């Protein structure tokens, strides 16, 4: 894994790329990266999330958790971002998982059929353990 200074620079770059329309906190546990968007993921903000995720994937992130605890709403544009990121990660032998969705977001994931595609965990710790149990 890269040195802590390089990782800190990478996190800063990704946060800067995200812009202000959708705040995204980013941190890591070993090789597992956690992206924590705050707000709604819709047509206005989905490009921020997509750009940040794709930049991270292009920088070598392979195991990503989307912490959805502070996401209020996900539109079809957000769902498209999830699917595109998962597809790109799969091509690079990685995986995208979700954690801590609230009731509204869980309903959106269920109604859109994403629960059949993505693994969802009740908290970040469980999602992290799921990767380390491989």
């Amino acid at each position: 894994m890269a040195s802590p200074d390089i990782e800190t620079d990478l996190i800063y770059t990704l946060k800067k790329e995200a812009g202000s329309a959708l705040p995204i906190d980013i941190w890591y546990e070993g090789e597992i990266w956690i992206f924590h968007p705050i707000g709604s993921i819709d047509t206005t903000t989905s490009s921020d999330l997509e750009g940040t995720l794709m930049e991270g994937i292009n920088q070598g992130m392979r195991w990503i958790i989307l912490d959805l605890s502070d996401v209020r709403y996900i539109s079809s544009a957000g769902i498209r971002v999830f699917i595109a990121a998962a597809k790109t990660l799969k091509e690079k032998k990685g995986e995208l998982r979700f954690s801590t969705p609230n009731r509204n977001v869980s309903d959106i994931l269920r109604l859109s059929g994403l629960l059949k595609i993505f693994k969802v965990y009740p908290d970040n710790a469980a999602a992290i353990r799921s990767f380390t149990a491989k």
Side-chain angles (χ1 to χ4, degrees):
M1 180 153 223
S3 73
D5 289 338
I6 292 171
E7 290 167 351
T8 301
D9 290 343
L10 177 58
I11 291 171
Y12 174 78
T13 300
L14 290 172
K15 285 184 177 183
K16 183 178 172 190
E17 290 295 320
S20 60
L22 181 68
I24 303 171
D25 289 330
I26 304 164
W27 68 94
Y28 61 95
E29 297 279 335
E31 298 286 329
I32 301 164
W33 290 83
I34 298 98
F35 286 67
H36 176 227
I38 301 167
S40 294
I41 303 172
D42 54 26
T43 55
T44 309
T45 61
S46 62
S47 62
D48 289 339
L49 180 59
E50 182 173 35
T52 304
L53 282 170
M54 292 306 175
E55 179 65 26
I57 293 166
N58 291 335
Q59 294 290 329
M61 296 177 188
R62 296 292 173 262
W63 299 282
I64 297 176
I65 297 168
L66 268 179
D67 176 343
L68 301 173
S69 59
D70 290 313
V71 172
R72 294 184 304 269
Y73 173 76
I74 301 169
S75 74
S76 59
I79 291 168
R80 182 191 57 75
V81 169
F82 298 160
I83 292 169
K87 181 179 176 183
T88 302
L89 280 166
K90 186 175 182 179
E91 292 168 358
K92 297 179 181 269
K93 310 277 190 267
E95 192 171 346
L96 175 67
R97 297 182 182 178
F98 299 137
S99 74
T100 60
N102 62 40
R103 180 179 216 113
N104 185 44
V105 170
S106 290
D107 288 345
I108 293 167
L109 295 174
R110 182 179 48 79
L111 291 170
S112 66
L114 290 182
L115 292 181
K116 295 175 184 174
I117 301 169
F118 293 100
K119 295 177 183 175
V120 181
Y121 296 89
D123 55 47
N124 289 329
I128 290 167
R129 280 192 306 274
S130 76
F131 277 117
T132 57
K134 284 184 158 187

